[in-house]
Amino acid sequence: MHSDNTPQFTRRSWIKTMIVGLCGGAMANTHGKQPLEQHITGAAPKKVSRIASGKAVACAQCDACMPCGYGVDIPANFKFYDEMLQEGAIPDLSSTDRTSMEFRSKAINFLRKYDRTIPDSHQSQRCTKCFHCVKECRERIFIVNELAALTAIVDELRDWECQHL
Ligand code: SF4
Ligand code: SF4
């Protein structure tokens, strides 16, 4: 039971945390909250997700985490991200100049390619953080964190597109 004044770890606040990580902050939780993954698994939490650190997820595409009851195509999302990273096609979200041709071109390409590659119903934002998949990954990918980090990128770019196009 909680009151209206109880701090809630909402999707929006999760996204903001991830964006801070993407911007190079790699900040720890500054509100003194216990990391969400620690609540669920009791395992030592990873500091920052691979995606939020600008690293490849390195998903083995083994499908052990599938199916997701909420429709997320976990390996497809990670494959998409890793390929974009390898191609240097991820817009620099730490850039203060988001009006450059390079940023614009990468942002639009990223969004269009994501929507073409993965239908909306299978995209990362569909993750409800049920944690069902997390224990299945032998690559020790903290799937929930990685999907949230990808969602943060996509949300940031969609917000940018709404404001600039
Ligand atoms: S944590 Fe997310 S991706 Fe994993 S099974 Fe639950 S909803 Fe699906
Ligand atoms: S279990 Fe891990 S390595 Fe295998 S597809 Fe899922 S996220 Fe990738």
Side-chain angles (χ1 to χ4, degrees), residues 10-29:
T10 63
R11 179 172 176 272
R12 198 68 193 166
S13 64
W14 180 281
I15 286 169
K16 281 183 179 168
T17 301
M18 286 301 172
I19 289 171
V20 168
L22 286 166
C23 291
M27 292 172 67
N29 186 329

Side-chain angles (χ1 to χ4, degrees), residues 91 97-109 160:
D97 179 12
R98 297 189 177 187
T99 58
S100 69
M101 279 307 293
E102 182 183 359
F103 186 91
R104 186 186 175 94
S105 158
K106 283 187 175 180
I108 294 169
N109 180 54
W160 169 85

Side-chain angles (χ1 to χ4, degrees), residues 3-150:
S3 71
D4 288 341
N5 293 329
T6 304
Q8 295 295 297
F9 202 77
T10 63
R11 179 172 176 272
R12 198 68 193 166
S13 64
W14 180 281
I15 286 169
K16 281 183 179 168
T17 301
M18 286 301 172
I19 289 171
V20 168
L22 286 166
C23 291
M27 292 172 67
N29 186 329
T30 55
H31 302 292
K33 293 177 186 168
Q34 191 179 24
L36 185 57
E37 62 268 35
Q38 211 168 8
H39 280 297
I40 304 296
T41 66
K46 292 180 173 54
K47 289 177 206 155
V48 184
S49 83
R50 298 177 191 183
I51 290 178
S53 302
K55 298 175 187 162
V57 182
C59 166
Q61 303 288 304
C62 69
D63 282 352
C65 55
M66 294 289 281
C68 160
Y70 296 88
V72 182
D73 189 336
I74 300 164
N77 276 272
F78 294 156
K79 183 169 187 252
F80 170 79
Y81 174 81
D82 279 2
E83 286 179 354
M84 295 297 277
L85 183 68
Q86 194 172 26
E87 291 168 17
I90 298 179
D92 179 7
L93 290 174
S94 68
S95 169
T96 51
D97 179 12
R98 297 189 177 187
T99 58
S100 69
M101 279 307 293
E102 182 183 359
F103 186 91
R104 186 186 175 94
S105 158
K106 283 187 175 180
I108 294 169
N109 180 54
F110 188 98
L111 290 174
R112 297 296 172 272
K113 199 165 177 183
Y114 188 50
D115 287 338
R116 273 200 314 273
T117 308
I118 305 173
D120 178 82
S121 57
H122 302 312
Q123 291 183 356
S124 61
Q125 75 269 14
R126 298 286 173 174
C127 175
T128 64
K129 303 177 178 59
C130 75
F131 282 79
H132 177 77
C133 60
V134 174
K135 64 183 180 307
E136 305 296 341
C137 183
R138 285 164 228 141
E139 301 296 320
R140 300 190 73 243
I141 296 166
F142 205 90
I143 295 169
V144 170
N145 270 8
E146 303 303 346
L147 290 173
L150 178 55

